[in-house]
Amino acid sequence: MGLAAWFLGRRNGAARTVRLPRDYYVGLDHLINDRFDHAAEIFARMAEADGDAAEIQFALGSLFRRRGEVDRAIAIHTRLREHGGPGLADKAAFALALDYQSAGLMDRAERVLEELAASREYRRIALDHLVRIYEAQGDWAKALKVFHELPPAVQAERARVAAHYLCELAEHALVQGEAERARTLLRQARTHQAVLPRADMLTARIAQQAGDAGGALLLYLHALETAPGLALEIIPSVLAIARQTRRHDMLNELGRRLRQSGGVSPRQLAWLLATAVPAEDMSQLPGITAELGGGVESAAEASTLSALLTRIGDAGGRYQCDECGLNSVGWYWRCPKCRSWDSMSPAVFKWAERTDHVVRAS
Ligand SMILES: [Zn+2]
């Protein structure tokens, strides 16, 4: 009994200490009855006087944002930013940037985040959000600029991403017919990442445009060796150049180089070639895959396999993201769903791998 009395007394005591100001209930009443401006005004007044009330408002603000009522979230966070005092300004600014992002008002989000990059506490997260916005907009120059503002350790960790930004810029320059500028950008890209198949492919395109078919060929082959997953993108270009330069042994050379790269199993390689090789070169395929020890034994089988893979590929996508599993018909350097770089690989890789497991298990 004594213990229960003590406990109840304690509980009552605790309840007595939670005493909210009358303004809070009035504000809540306005909120519940959709008199939002009155509510915001009262809460803002409370925020000036009391830090806890500001926390209540932040909670309300993110609640509104999550419910899709972004206007309300923006109103709350704007007031907090302007009238909440110096201790809250940055936190409110960041919340506001999130509101603008979810409202699709990217230019406003950008402005707030750029201001926040000067804050010590929010600098890093503001830069990360800015990068995400610029990547989504395909504004690679700005993404690169923000990259250079990141701490050196983070820059080192994301060197590959910076190289991709520069490749994106080079690709754009190429489309504009500015080969020299593209070349400079690719050189810069290689300072971030020395082994860079994407830069090889772009340099090959520049060489091809300049009439240097032999140079282009070597670059494509080099890219393929370092990244066999690019086979579907590269093999058709390689075979076109080979035909043009009368190098009829090219498929053999391709097979040899891919095998040397060590990145693919013989079956993966055979399936990859069966998907990537154009119909007119199909008759050469069995010889090559037999040499590789892969699963294709006759021209008819190669052609059936190719037709099958194309059909499956068309239905489900020729590529799949290793990170999020997204299927895609076209090639992306950066997955459009999960935003990972270099995560797409030919779907045949995985099918062949599964078959490899089955074969090994039986
Ligand atoms: Zn993905």
Side-chain angles (χ1 to χ4, degrees):
M1 281 287 280
L3 191 68
W6 173 82
F7 185 70
L8 281 172
R10 214 175 108 92
R11 259 187 41 182
N12 287 342
R16 270 198 301 275
T17 61
V18 182
R19 190 176 294 142
L20 289 162
R22 191 183 153 273
D23 273 355
Y24 173 72
Y25 295 106
V26 176
L28 207 58
D29 184 53
H30 283 315
L31 258 187
I32 290 164
N33 291 299
D34 266 7
R35 291 187 298 270
F36 184 68
D37 287 344
H38 295 298
E41 205 181 300
I42 288 171
F43 281 131
R45 220 165 47 219
M46 287 169 71
E48 281 169 48
D50 177 5
D52 286 347
E55 288 309 319
I56 293 168
Q57 291 190 69
F58 276 118
L60 282 171
S62 67
L63 182 78
F64 281 135
R65 185 197 312 127
R66 259 167 239 186
R67 281 182 43 173
E69 296 179 56
V70 189
D71 287 351
R72 291 181 155 192
I74 290 174
I76 288 185
H77 294 135
T78 305
R79 273 171 190 270
L80 276 170
R81 190 186 185 192
E82 286 164 9
H83 307 292
L88 297 176
D90 285 353
K91 185 175 179 182
F94 183 63
L96 198 54
L98 295 182
D99 298 338
Y100 286 144
Q101 273 174 273
S102 55
L105 301 167
M106 291 307 172
D107 50 339
R108 290 195 198 175
E110 220 180 292
R111 226 173 304 138
V112 176
L113 289 167
E114 272 165 9
E115 285 166 25
L116 260 185
S119 126
R120 196 192 299 166
E121 197 185 341
Y122 284 89
R123 178 175 170 78
R124 176 64 200 283
I125 195 164
L127 292 178
D128 278 345
H129 277 259
L130 275 174
V131 161
R132 234 181 278 171
I133 291 175
Y134 294 142
E135 281 191 354
Q137 292 173 342
D139 193 336
W140 310 110
K142 280 191 179 171
L144 189 66
K145 197 165 158 262
V146 175
F147 169 85
H148 286 298
E149 288 178 40
L150 289 166
V154 180
Q155 286 191 35
E157 201 179 287
R158 298 192 194 163
R160 196 164 49 98
V161 176
H164 271 297
Y165 294 160
L166 284 153
C167 286
E168 293 280 356
L169 290 169
E171 208 162 330
H172 183 71
L174 257 188
V175 172
Q176 304 284 307
E178 299 170 16
E180 209 38 58
R181 182 171 151 65
R183 235 190 273 269
T184 309
L185 288 162
L186 291 172
R187 263 198 303 275
Q188 287 172 14
R190 286 187 203 280
T191 63
H192 291 282
Q193 183 93 348
V195 179
L196 197 56
R198 187 178 185 182
D200 289 336
M201 287 169 71
L202 286 167
T203 316
R205 251 168 69 188
I206 298 174
Q208 222 174 332
Q209 281 172 9
D212 178 11
L217 199 59
L218 287 177
L219 284 158
Y220 276 132
L221 289 174
H222 187 252
L224 201 54
E225 268 176 329
T226 46
L230 292 170
L232 301 185
E233 300 300 302
I234 292 177
I235 289 177
S237 304
V238 167
L239 292 178
I241 297 176
R243 245 192 304 281
Q244 185 195 329
T245 54
R246 298 179 193 287
R247 285 201 51 185
H248 301 298
D249 60 332
M250 189 43 67
L251 251 180
N252 268 311
E253 175 74 8
L254 269 175
R256 194 180 62 76
R257 293 219 178 204
L258 275 169
R259 190 182 46 211
Q260 268 177 359
S261 75
V264 285
S265 74
R267 186 180 305 273
Q268 280 177 319
L269 188 46
W271 284 39
L272 195 59
L273 288 174
T275 334
V277 167
E280 58 263 44
D281 296 296
M282 201 55 84
S283 60
Q284 296 181 54
L285 197 58
I288 297 159
T289 53
E291 204 181 301
L292 296 169
V296 184
E297 276 157 22
S298 67
E301 192 186 336
S303 152
T304 311
L305 179 59
S306 173
L308 177 70
L309 293 179
T310 309
R311 225 176 24 239
I312 300 171
D314 285 346
R318 274 154 49 101
Y319 300 100
Q320 197 174 51
C321 173
D322 293 335
E323 297 292 329
C324 73
L326 176 82
N327 289 301
S328 130
V329 176
W331 169 260
Y332 294 102
W333 291 102
R334 174 175 168 271
C335 172
K337 190 175 169 206
C338 72
R339 302 187 288 243
S340 306
W341 290 92
D342 295 318
S343 63
M344 304 299 281
S345 59
V348 286
F349 265 28
K350 289 184 188 82
W351 302 329
E353 218 170 57
R354 258 174 253 149
T355 320
D356 270 344
H357 288 314
V358 173
V359 171
R360 255 178 249 139
S362 58

Short mmCIF file of all heavy atoms in Angstrom, two decimals, residues 241-297:
data_model
loop_
_atom_site.label_atom_id
_atom_site.label_comp_id
_atom_site.label_asym_id
_atom_site.label_seq_id
_atom_site.Cartn_x
_atom_site.Cartn_y
_atom_site.Cartn_z
N ILE A 241 34.12 -1.11 -86.61
CA ILE A 241 35.45 -0.62 -87.00
C ILE A 241 36.24 -1.75 -87.67
O ILE A 241 36.94 -1.56 -88.66
CB ILE A 241 36.24 -0.09 -85.79
CG1 ILE A 241 35.53 1.12 -85.19
CG2 ILE A 241 37.65 0.32 -86.20
CD1 ILE A 241 36.19 1.66 -83.94
N ALA A 242 36.12 -2.98 -87.11
CA ALA A 242 36.87 -4.12 -87.64
C ALA A 242 36.47 -4.37 -89.10
O ALA A 242 37.33 -4.64 -89.95
CB ALA A 242 36.61 -5.36 -86.80
N ARG A 243 35.18 -4.27 -89.38
CA ARG A 243 34.72 -4.48 -90.75
C ARG A 243 35.30 -3.41 -91.67
O ARG A 243 35.79 -3.69 -92.75
CB ARG A 243 33.19 -4.45 -90.80
CG ARG A 243 32.58 -5.80 -91.21
CD ARG A 243 31.12 -5.68 -91.53
NE ARG A 243 30.38 -5.10 -90.42
CZ ARG A 243 30.02 -5.80 -89.34
NH1 ARG A 243 30.30 -7.07 -89.25
NH2 ARG A 243 29.37 -5.20 -88.36
N GLN A 244 35.26 -2.19 -91.15
CA GLN A 244 35.74 -1.04 -91.92
C GLN A 244 37.25 -1.16 -92.20
O GLN A 244 37.72 -0.80 -93.27
CB GLN A 244 35.44 0.22 -91.08
CG GLN A 244 35.74 1.54 -91.71
CD GLN A 244 35.73 2.62 -90.62
OE1 GLN A 244 35.01 2.53 -89.62
NE2 GLN A 244 36.54 3.65 -90.80
N THR A 245 38.00 -1.70 -91.22
CA THR A 245 39.45 -1.80 -91.40
C THR A 245 39.88 -3.20 -91.84
O THR A 245 41.07 -3.51 -91.81
CB THR A 245 40.18 -1.44 -90.08
OG1 THR A 245 39.65 -2.27 -89.04
CG2 THR A 245 40.01 0.00 -89.70
N ARG A 246 38.89 -4.03 -92.19
CA ARG A 246 39.13 -5.40 -92.68
C ARG A 246 39.93 -6.24 -91.69
O ARG A 246 40.83 -6.99 -92.08
CB ARG A 246 39.84 -5.38 -94.04
CG ARG A 246 39.01 -4.70 -95.10
CD ARG A 246 39.70 -4.66 -96.43
NE ARG A 246 39.02 -3.75 -97.34
CZ ARG A 246 37.85 -4.00 -97.92
NH1 ARG A 246 37.23 -5.14 -97.71
NH2 ARG A 246 37.27 -3.11 -98.73
N ARG A 247 39.64 -6.10 -90.44
CA ARG A 247 40.30 -6.98 -89.45
C ARG A 247 39.32 -8.09 -89.10
O ARG A 247 38.51 -7.98 -88.18
CB ARG A 247 40.69 -6.18 -88.21
CG ARG A 247 41.90 -5.31 -88.45
CD ARG A 247 42.58 -4.93 -87.17
NE ARG A 247 42.85 -6.07 -86.31
CZ ARG A 247 43.37 -5.94 -85.08
NH1 ARG A 247 43.65 -4.76 -84.60
NH2 ARG A 247 43.61 -7.01 -84.34
N HIS A 248 39.39 -9.19 -89.88
CA HIS A 248 38.36 -10.22 -89.78
C HIS A 248 38.52 -11.12 -88.55
O HIS A 248 37.63 -11.89 -88.23
CB HIS A 248 38.34 -11.05 -91.07
CG HIS A 248 38.08 -10.20 -92.28
ND1 HIS A 248 36.90 -9.50 -92.43
CD2 HIS A 248 38.85 -9.89 -93.35
CE1 HIS A 248 36.95 -8.80 -93.56
NE2 HIS A 248 38.13 -9.01 -94.13
N ASP A 249 39.66 -11.00 -87.89
CA ASP A 249 39.88 -11.85 -86.72
C ASP A 249 39.39 -11.17 -85.43
O ASP A 249 39.68 -11.63 -84.34
CB ASP A 249 41.38 -12.14 -86.57
CG ASP A 249 42.17 -10.84 -86.40
OD1 ASP A 249 41.69 -9.79 -86.91
OD2 ASP A 249 43.24 -10.85 -85.76
N MET A 250 38.66 -10.10 -85.59
CA MET A 250 38.35 -9.27 -84.42
C MET A 250 37.54 -9.98 -83.34
O MET A 250 37.78 -9.80 -82.15
CB MET A 250 37.63 -8.00 -84.86
CG MET A 250 37.46 -6.97 -83.76
SD MET A 250 38.93 -6.73 -82.75
CE MET A 250 40.03 -6.02 -83.96
N LEU A 251 36.58 -10.84 -83.76
CA LEU A 251 35.77 -11.52 -82.74
C LEU A 251 36.66 -12.41 -81.86
O LEU A 251 36.48 -12.47 -80.64
CB LEU A 251 34.70 -12.38 -83.41
CG LEU A 251 33.27 -11.86 -83.27
CD1 LEU A 251 32.30 -12.78 -83.96
CD2 LEU A 251 32.90 -11.67 -81.82
N ASN A 252 37.62 -13.07 -82.52
CA ASN A 252 38.58 -13.88 -81.76
C ASN A 252 39.35 -13.05 -80.76
O ASN A 252 39.52 -13.42 -79.60
CB ASN A 252 39.59 -14.53 -82.72
CG ASN A 252 39.12 -15.90 -83.15
OD1 ASN A 252 38.74 -16.70 -82.30
ND2 ASN A 252 39.12 -16.16 -84.45
N GLU A 253 39.80 -11.91 -81.26
CA GLU A 253 40.58 -10.99 -80.43
C GLU A 253 39.73 -10.53 -79.23
O GLU A 253 40.21 -10.48 -78.09
CB GLU A 253 41.00 -9.79 -81.30
CG GLU A 253 41.71 -8.66 -80.58
CD GLU A 253 43.15 -9.02 -80.22
OE1 GLU A 253 43.63 -10.08 -80.68
OE2 GLU A 253 43.77 -8.24 -79.47
N LEU A 254 38.46 -10.24 -79.50
CA LEU A 254 37.54 -9.81 -78.44
C LEU A 254 37.42 -10.89 -77.37
O LEU A 254 37.50 -10.62 -76.17
CB LEU A 254 36.16 -9.55 -79.03
CG LEU A 254 35.84 -8.15 -79.50
CD1 LEU A 254 34.47 -8.14 -80.16
CD2 LEU A 254 35.85 -7.20 -78.32
N GLY A 255 37.19 -12.12 -77.85
CA GLY A 255 37.04 -13.24 -76.92
C GLY A 255 38.27 -13.40 -76.05
O GLY A 255 38.19 -13.58 -74.83
N ARG A 256 39.44 -13.31 -76.72
CA ARG A 256 40.70 -13.48 -76.01
C ARG A 256 40.87 -12.42 -74.92
O ARG A 256 41.18 -12.71 -73.77
CB ARG A 256 41.85 -13.40 -77.03
CG ARG A 256 43.19 -13.90 -76.51
CD ARG A 256 44.26 -13.78 -77.59
NE ARG A 256 44.51 -12.39 -78.01
CZ ARG A 256 45.19 -11.50 -77.30
NH1 ARG A 256 45.72 -11.84 -76.16
NH2 ARG A 256 45.36 -10.27 -77.75
N ARG A 257 40.59 -11.18 -75.31
CA ARG A 257 40.77 -10.08 -74.35
C ARG A 257 39.80 -10.18 -73.17
O ARG A 257 40.18 -9.93 -72.03
CB ARG A 257 40.54 -8.75 -75.05
CG ARG A 257 41.60 -8.46 -76.07
CD ARG A 257 41.94 -7.01 -76.03
NE ARG A 257 42.99 -6.70 -76.95
CZ ARG A 257 43.79 -5.65 -76.81
NH1 ARG A 257 43.63 -4.85 -75.80
NH2 ARG A 257 44.73 -5.41 -77.69
N LEU A 258 38.56 -10.55 -73.48
CA LEU A 258 37.57 -10.65 -72.40
C LEU A 258 37.95 -11.78 -71.44
O LEU A 258 37.78 -11.65 -70.23
CB LEU A 258 36.18 -10.89 -72.98
CG LEU A 258 35.44 -9.63 -73.40
CD1 LEU A 258 34.20 -9.98 -74.21
CD2 LEU A 258 35.04 -8.82 -72.17
N ARG A 259 38.46 -12.87 -72.01
CA ARG A 259 38.85 -13.99 -71.17
C ARG A 259 40.02 -13.58 -70.29
O ARG A 259 40.07 -13.87 -69.10
CB ARG A 259 39.24 -15.19 -72.04
CG ARG A 259 39.43 -16.47 -71.25
CD ARG A 259 39.85 -17.58 -72.18
NE ARG A 259 40.88 -17.12 -73.07
CZ ARG A 259 41.07 -17.56 -74.31
NH1 ARG A 259 40.27 -18.45 -74.83
NH2 ARG A 259 42.06 -17.09 -75.05
N GLN A 260 40.96 -12.84 -70.89
CA GLN A 260 42.14 -12.37 -70.14
C GLN A 260 41.76 -11.47 -68.97
O GLN A 260 42.42 -11.45 -67.95
CB GLN A 260 43.06 -11.58 -71.06
CG GLN A 260 44.13 -12.44 -71.70
CD GLN A 260 44.97 -11.61 -72.67
OE1 GLN A 260 44.72 -10.42 -72.85
NE2 GLN A 260 45.94 -12.24 -73.29
N SER A 261 40.68 -10.70 -69.17
CA SER A 261 40.30 -9.74 -68.13
C SER A 261 39.98 -10.47 -66.82
O SER A 261 40.09 -9.89 -65.75
CB SER A 261 39.10 -8.92 -68.59
OG SER A 261 37.94 -9.70 -68.53
N GLY A 262 39.56 -11.74 -66.93
CA GLY A 262 39.33 -12.54 -65.73
C GLY A 262 38.07 -12.15 -64.96
O GLY A 262 37.77 -12.73 -63.93
N GLY A 263 37.34 -11.17 -65.47
CA GLY A 263 36.16 -10.69 -64.73
C GLY A 263 34.90 -11.48 -65.00
O GLY A 263 33.89 -11.26 -64.34
N VAL A 264 34.94 -12.40 -65.97
CA VAL A 264 33.72 -13.13 -66.31
C VAL A 264 34.01 -14.62 -66.44
O VAL A 264 35.11 -15.01 -66.82
CB VAL A 264 33.11 -12.63 -67.65
CG1 VAL A 264 32.43 -11.31 -67.48
CG2 VAL A 264 34.17 -12.52 -68.72
N SER A 265 33.01 -15.44 -66.14
CA SER A 265 33.17 -16.89 -66.30
C SER A 265 33.00 -17.21 -67.79
O SER A 265 32.42 -16.42 -68.54
CB SER A 265 32.12 -17.62 -65.48
OG SER A 265 30.86 -17.50 -66.10
N PRO A 266 33.51 -18.39 -68.26
CA PRO A 266 33.36 -18.75 -69.67
C PRO A 266 31.89 -18.71 -70.13
O PRO A 266 31.60 -18.24 -71.22
CB PRO A 266 33.90 -20.18 -69.73
CG PRO A 266 34.87 -20.27 -68.61
CD PRO A 266 34.30 -19.39 -67.52
N ARG A 267 30.98 -19.16 -69.26
CA ARG A 267 29.58 -19.17 -69.66
C ARG A 267 29.03 -17.73 -69.78
O ARG A 267 28.34 -17.40 -70.73
CB ARG A 267 28.73 -19.96 -68.67
CG ARG A 267 27.28 -20.14 -69.11
CD ARG A 267 26.50 -20.92 -68.09
NE ARG A 267 27.14 -22.20 -67.82
CZ ARG A 267 26.92 -23.31 -68.54
NH1 ARG A 267 26.06 -23.28 -69.53
NH2 ARG A 267 27.54 -24.41 -68.24
N GLN A 268 29.41 -16.90 -68.81
CA GLN A 268 28.99 -15.50 -68.88
C GLN A 268 29.48 -14.87 -70.18
O GLN A 268 28.75 -14.15 -70.86
CB GLN A 268 29.56 -14.71 -67.70
CG GLN A 268 28.78 -14.90 -66.40
CD GLN A 268 29.42 -14.16 -65.25
OE1 GLN A 268 30.64 -14.15 -65.11
NE2 GLN A 268 28.60 -13.55 -64.43
N LEU A 269 30.72 -15.21 -70.52
CA LEU A 269 31.33 -14.64 -71.72
C LEU A 269 30.60 -15.11 -72.98
O LEU A 269 30.28 -14.32 -73.86
CB LEU A 269 32.80 -15.05 -71.76
CG LEU A 269 33.67 -14.42 -72.83
CD1 LEU A 269 33.42 -12.94 -72.91
CD2 LEU A 269 35.14 -14.68 -72.51
N ALA A 270 30.31 -16.43 -73.02
CA ALA A 270 29.61 -16.96 -74.18
C ALA A 270 28.23 -16.31 -74.33
O ALA A 270 27.83 -15.90 -75.42
CB ALA A 270 29.46 -18.47 -74.04
N TRP A 271 27.52 -16.17 -73.23
CA TRP A 271 26.18 -15.57 -73.27
C TRP A 271 26.25 -14.10 -73.64
O TRP A 271 25.43 -13.58 -74.37
CB TRP A 271 25.50 -15.74 -71.91
CG TRP A 271 24.99 -17.12 -71.66
CD1 TRP A 271 25.62 -18.29 -72.00
CD2 TRP A 271 23.77 -17.48 -71.04
NE1 TRP A 271 24.86 -19.34 -71.60
CE2 TRP A 271 23.72 -18.89 -71.01
CE3 TRP A 271 22.71 -16.76 -70.48
CZ2 TRP A 271 22.65 -19.59 -70.46
CZ3 TRP A 271 21.65 -17.45 -69.92
CH2 TRP A 271 21.62 -18.85 -69.91
N LEU A 272 27.29 -13.46 -73.11
CA LEU A 272 27.48 -12.04 -73.40
C LEU A 272 27.71 -11.83 -74.89
O LEU A 272 27.09 -10.97 -75.52
CB LEU A 272 28.69 -11.54 -72.60
CG LEU A 272 28.87 -10.05 -72.46
CD1 LEU A 272 27.67 -9.44 -71.77
CD2 LEU A 272 30.13 -9.77 -71.64
N LEU A 273 28.60 -12.65 -75.45
CA LEU A 273 28.90 -12.53 -76.88
C LEU A 273 27.64 -12.84 -77.70
O LEU A 273 27.33 -12.16 -78.67
CB LEU A 273 30.04 -13.45 -77.28
CG LEU A 273 31.43 -13.02 -76.79
CD1 LEU A 273 32.46 -14.09 -77.10
CD2 LEU A 273 31.85 -11.70 -77.41
N ALA A 274 26.90 -13.87 -77.27
CA ALA A 274 25.69 -14.25 -78.01
C ALA A 274 24.70 -13.09 -78.04
O ALA A 274 23.95 -12.92 -79.00
CB ALA A 274 25.05 -15.48 -77.38
N THR A 275 24.67 -12.27 -77.00
CA THR A 275 23.75 -11.13 -76.98
C THR A 275 24.31 -9.94 -77.75
O THR A 275 23.56 -9.20 -78.37
CB THR A 275 23.50 -10.64 -75.53
OG1 THR A 275 23.70 -11.71 -74.64
CG2 THR A 275 22.13 -10.07 -75.38
N ALA A 276 25.63 -9.76 -77.67
CA ALA A 276 26.20 -8.51 -78.19
C ALA A 276 26.56 -8.59 -79.67
O ALA A 276 26.60 -7.58 -80.35
CB ALA A 276 27.44 -8.14 -77.38
N VAL A 277 26.84 -9.81 -80.14
CA VAL A 277 27.34 -9.93 -81.51
C VAL A 277 26.19 -9.77 -82.52
O VAL A 277 25.16 -10.40 -82.37
CB VAL A 277 28.03 -11.30 -81.70
CG1 VAL A 277 28.29 -11.61 -83.15
CG2 VAL A 277 29.34 -11.32 -80.92
N PRO A 278 26.36 -8.90 -83.51
CA PRO A 278 25.31 -8.71 -84.51
C PRO A 278 25.10 -9.98 -85.34
O PRO A 278 26.02 -10.81 -85.46
CB PRO A 278 25.86 -7.58 -85.40
CG PRO A 278 27.02 -7.01 -84.68
CD PRO A 278 27.53 -8.05 -83.75
N ALA A 279 23.92 -10.10 -85.94
CA ALA A 279 23.54 -11.33 -86.65
C ALA A 279 24.56 -11.72 -87.72
O ALA A 279 24.87 -12.91 -87.88
CB ALA A 279 22.17 -11.14 -87.28
N GLU A 280 25.14 -10.72 -88.43
CA GLU A 280 26.04 -11.06 -89.54
C GLU A 280 27.34 -11.73 -89.07
O GLU A 280 28.03 -12.36 -89.84
CB GLU A 280 26.35 -9.84 -90.41
CG GLU A 280 26.97 -8.66 -89.69
CD GLU A 280 25.95 -7.61 -89.30
OE1 GLU A 280 24.86 -7.99 -88.81
OE2 GLU A 280 26.22 -6.41 -89.49
N ASP A 281 27.69 -11.56 -87.77
CA ASP A 281 28.92 -12.17 -87.26
C ASP A 281 28.64 -13.44 -86.47
O ASP A 281 29.56 -14.05 -85.92
CB ASP A 281 29.66 -11.18 -86.35
CG ASP A 281 30.14 -9.96 -87.13
OD1 ASP A 281 30.97 -10.13 -88.03
OD2 ASP A 281 29.63 -8.86 -86.86
N MET A 282 27.37 -13.83 -86.42
CA MET A 282 26.97 -14.94 -85.55
C MET A 282 27.67 -16.25 -85.90
O MET A 282 27.93 -17.07 -85.03
CB MET A 282 25.45 -15.10 -85.61
CG MET A 282 24.86 -15.84 -84.45
SD MET A 282 25.30 -15.09 -82.87
CE MET A 282 24.06 -13.81 -82.74
N SER A 283 27.96 -16.47 -87.20
CA SER A 283 28.52 -17.76 -87.62
C SER A 283 29.89 -18.01 -86.99
O SER A 283 30.32 -19.14 -86.83
CB SER A 283 28.63 -17.80 -89.15
OG SER A 283 29.48 -16.75 -89.57
N GLN A 284 30.59 -16.94 -86.61
CA GLN A 284 31.92 -17.11 -86.01
C GLN A 284 31.85 -17.49 -84.53
O GLN A 284 32.84 -17.92 -83.94
CB GLN A 284 32.69 -15.79 -86.08
CG GLN A 284 32.99 -15.31 -87.49
CD GLN A 284 33.77 -14.00 -87.40
OE1 GLN A 284 34.80 -13.92 -86.74
NE2 GLN A 284 33.27 -12.96 -88.05
N LEU A 285 30.67 -17.28 -83.96
CA LEU A 285 30.56 -17.37 -82.50
C LEU A 285 30.89 -18.74 -81.90
O LEU A 285 31.64 -18.81 -80.92
CB LEU A 285 29.16 -16.92 -82.07
CG LEU A 285 29.00 -16.56 -80.60
CD1 LEU A 285 29.96 -15.46 -80.21
CD2 LEU A 285 27.58 -16.14 -80.34
N PRO A 286 30.36 -19.85 -82.48
CA PRO A 286 30.63 -21.16 -81.86
C PRO A 286 32.12 -21.44 -81.72
O PRO A 286 32.56 -21.96 -80.68
CB PRO A 286 29.97 -22.14 -82.81
CG PRO A 286 28.92 -21.36 -83.49
CD PRO A 286 29.47 -19.98 -83.63
N GLY A 287 32.89 -21.12 -82.74
CA GLY A 287 34.33 -21.36 -82.69
C GLY A 287 34.96 -20.65 -81.51
O GLY A 287 35.75 -21.23 -80.76
N ILE A 288 34.57 -19.41 -81.33
CA ILE A 288 35.16 -18.62 -80.24
C ILE A 288 34.75 -19.16 -78.89
O ILE A 288 35.57 -19.36 -78.00
CB ILE A 288 34.71 -17.15 -80.36
CG1 ILE A 288 35.23 -16.56 -81.67
CG2 ILE A 288 35.18 -16.34 -79.18
CD1 ILE A 288 34.46 -15.36 -82.10
N THR A 289 33.44 -19.42 -78.73
CA THR A 289 32.99 -19.84 -77.41
C THR A 289 33.50 -21.24 -77.08
O THR A 289 33.73 -21.56 -75.92
CB THR A 289 31.45 -19.79 -77.29
OG1 THR A 289 30.90 -20.53 -78.37
CG2 THR A 289 30.95 -18.38 -77.33
N ALA A 290 33.70 -22.08 -78.12
CA ALA A 290 34.28 -23.41 -77.87
C ALA A 290 35.68 -23.24 -77.32
O ALA A 290 36.08 -23.90 -76.35
CB ALA A 290 34.31 -24.22 -79.16
N GLU A 291 36.41 -22.30 -77.92
CA GLU A 291 37.77 -22.03 -77.47
C GLU A 291 37.78 -21.51 -76.03
O GLU A 291 38.68 -21.78 -75.25
CB GLU A 291 38.36 -20.96 -78.40
CG GLU A 291 39.87 -20.96 -78.47
CD GLU A 291 40.32 -19.84 -79.40
OE1 GLU A 291 39.92 -19.86 -80.58
OE2 GLU A 291 41.03 -18.96 -78.92
N LEU A 292 36.73 -20.76 -75.70
CA LEU A 292 36.63 -20.20 -74.35
C LEU A 292 36.18 -21.24 -73.33
O LEU A 292 36.25 -21.02 -72.12
CB LEU A 292 35.61 -19.06 -74.33
CG LEU A 292 35.93 -17.83 -75.17
CD1 LEU A 292 34.71 -16.94 -75.25
CD2 LEU A 292 37.09 -17.09 -74.56
N GLY A 293 35.65 -22.35 -73.82
CA GLY A 293 35.10 -23.35 -72.91
C GLY A 293 33.71 -22.98 -72.42
O GLY A 293 33.21 -23.47 -71.44
N GLY A 294 33.06 -22.07 -73.11
CA GLY A 294 31.71 -21.64 -72.73
C GLY A 294 30.66 -22.54 -73.33
O GLY A 294 30.96 -23.44 -74.10
N GLY A 295 29.39 -22.27 -72.99
CA GLY A 295 28.34 -23.24 -73.28
C GLY A 295 27.80 -23.32 -74.70
O GLY A 295 26.91 -24.12 -74.96
N VAL A 296 28.30 -22.55 -75.67
CA VAL A 296 27.68 -22.56 -77.00
C VAL A 296 28.49 -23.44 -77.95
O VAL A 296 29.69 -23.27 -78.09
CB VAL A 296 27.60 -21.13 -77.58
CG1 VAL A 296 26.85 -21.14 -78.90
CG2 VAL A 296 26.93 -20.21 -76.58
N GLU A 297 27.81 -24.43 -78.60
CA GLU A 297 28.57 -25.38 -79.40
C GLU A 297 28.36 -25.29 -80.91
O GLU A 297 29.21 -25.69 -81.69
CB GLU A 297 28.26 -26.81 -78.93
CG GLU A 297 29.13 -27.18 -77.73
CD GLU A 297 28.51 -28.28 -76.90
OE1 GLU A 297 27.67 -29.02 -77.45
OE2 GLU A 297 28.86 -28.37 -75.72
#
